[in-house]
Amino acid sequence: MNYKAFTYSFDEFTDNWKNVLVYDIETVETLEELEKIKDEKALDYLNIERAKHVAFGIRKDILRERMNAPVNKILSKLEKRFYKDWIIYVLMDTTPRKIVETLYKVASNLRLHIVAHNGKKFDFTLFRYYLNKYENDKKALKYKIYFYKTNPFLVDTKKKVYIRLVDTLELTKASLEASVKNFGIDISKETGKDIKEYLIRDIELLIELVEALEKAEINYTITRTARRFYVDLSKKYKINKIVTFLPEEFEPDYIGGRVEVFKATAENIRYYDFNSLY
């Protein structure tokens, strides 16, 4: 792996949840279509080439502080909603290219990182799709995808643009709704049959999750926060326990951490394989 592109100091990018753009993508036309796909477990709808709707949220104070002409030109053409201290922008019936260029230009001009839930398997793959599809297009954005200590970045070394991609699923290990509920937040909302309202609700959920992670001081770096999330926070919520055959002195199990293997000898024992132990 060539790290020469990362010649700047990573101290410039502190793990601050205020400096983020949160977004979600939909590839279907209606909620009925989405429910049918889920019921039939037809995962072909995750084909990123079909991305056509996007909503994203930015904090109002960040916009006031860093707004400039290029960003204003982009955002002034989009429908917007207000939620708490955030502004949610919506772009419907568009193309993967338009989505990428909008997110990239806004994030880079405002010096923001980009956050999505399940981004690793879905939302972030849009950037790789764009990168591969338009690599020979002279009018397309020019960037590369780099990994620095497992953290993915969109990098344009010529323009000094470094956008970190943060997947909240990697931190919470649960669906977006379940992650929000684990923090004791209720955001039930009737979205009817409107895919746009469903999309906006997902952004509201993601905003709630980001604010909860910020308040709990959970930072972007996955490896050093996984154990803390499950031990320090999740212990007051319901945690899956193995209770059917373990003796009482065994503790509940938590996800994440490190397992070390030691050579040992024993007689008359039963051996079980564990995901992780603390």
Side-chain angles (χ1 to χ4, degrees):
M1 182 72 70
N2 186 351
Y3 295 112
K4 291 183 178 179
F6 300 101
T7 56
Y8 67 102
S9 171
F10 271 88
D11 293 336
E12 296 176 19
F13 296 103
T14 57
D15 295 338
N16 186 342
W17 288 103
K18 290 185 180 296
N19 297 315
V20 298
L21 176 156
V22 302
Y23 83 104
D24 188 35
I25 293 171
E26 294 296 340
T27 61
V28 297
E29 292 287 355
T30 64
L31 288 183
E32 292 95 328
E33 183 182 352
L34 182 59
E35 290 303 319
K36 182 179 179 181
I37 290 170
K38 289 181 179 179
D39 291 341
E40 297 176 355
K41 297 182 179 180
L43 298 181
D44 58 331
Y45 80 100
L46 290 176
N47 183 353
I48 203 66
E49 295 181 31
R50 297 174 57 187
K52 59 188 309 179
H53 313 302
V54 64
F56 59 93
I58 307 171
R59 294 179 190 262
K60 295 178 185 177
D61 56 342
I62 294 294
L63 283 173
R64 286 195 296 267
E65 174 189 338
R66 305 178 187 178
M67 178 66 79
N68 52 44
V71 174
N72 184 57
K73 183 178 180 181
I74 295 172
L75 298 182
S76 63
K77 300 178 181 179
L78 304 180
E79 177 185 346
K80 63 182 179 181
R81 301 280 186 90
F82 296 94
Y83 183 76
K84 300 179 71 171
D85 294 326
W86 296 68
I87 301 179
I88 299 174
Y89 293 92
V90 186
L91 183 58
M92 305 295 290
D93 299 310
T94 185
T95 65
R97 178 168 182 163
K98 182 66 175 180
I99 292 174
V100 168
E101 293 182 349
T102 298
L103 294 174
Y104 188 93
K105 289 176 180 178
V106 171
S108 60
N109 276 278
L110 295 179
R111 304 187 304 282
L112 301 176
H113 296 315
I114 297 178
V115 175
H117 198 76
N118 196 29
K120 184 177 179 180
K121 291 185 178 180
F122 182 53
D123 300 85
F124 294 160
T125 62
L126 185 66
F127 294 103
R128 190 173 298 279
Y129 165 76
Y130 179 98
L131 185 64
N132 295 334
K133 186 173 180 61
Y134 301 106
E135 60 181 344
N136 297 320
D137 188 338
K138 294 182 179 180
K139 295 183 180 181
L141 291 173
K142 300 300 179 184
Y143 63 85
K144 293 183 179 181
I145 298 175
Y146 281 98
F147 287 83
Y148 180 79
K149 296 181 179 179
T150 74
N151 292 301
F153 278 79
L154 303 180
V155 178
D156 183 339
T157 54
K158 293 182 179 179
K159 296 182 179 179
K160 301 297 180 181
V161 172
Y162 308 89
I163 301 173
R164 178 181 285 170
L165 303 178
V166 183
D167 186 353
T168 48
L169 178 60
E170 292 290 307
L171 293 172
T172 65
K173 305 297 183 183
S175 69
L176 184 54
E177 288 191 4
S179 299
V180 171
K181 288 179 180 178
N182 282 341
F183 281 100
I185 300 170
D186 180 18
I187 187 173
S188 54
K189 178 181 177 182
E190 179 59 47
T191 57
K193 304 297 182 181
D194 192 336
I195 193 69
K196 179 167 69 174
E197 295 303 320
Y198 179 88
L199 181 59
I200 292 172
R201 177 182 175 275
D202 274 357
I203 294 299
E204 292 172 352
L205 285 170
L206 189 51
I207 286 172
E208 291 289 350
L209 179 57
V210 163
E211 290 188 343
L213 291 169
E214 178 187 17
K215 185 177 180 180
E217 298 182 350
I218 301 295
N219 57 40
Y220 297 166
T221 306
I222 298 166
T223 53
R224 71 183 179 209
T225 59
R227 182 178 184 275
R228 179 183 171 186
F229 182 85
Y230 284 97
V231 175
D232 294 351
L233 292 177
S234 295
K235 64 183 179 182
K236 59 184 178 181
Y237 305 116
K238 181 180 178 181
I239 300 174
N240 294 328
K241 299 180 181 180
I242 303 175
V243 295
T244 55
F245 56 84
L246 290 182
E248 293 182 356
E249 62 267 21
F250 275 71
E251 296 293 329
D253 63 302
Y254 301 93
I255 299 175
R258 183 179 68 185
V259 174
E260 294 182 354
V261 178
F262 300 91
K263 184 177 181 180
T265 58
E267 296 180 359
N268 192 26
I269 65 169
R270 292 183 179 181
Y271 171 77
Y272 299 95
D273 185 21
F274 295 91
N275 180 39
S276 60
L277 291 177
Y278 294 103

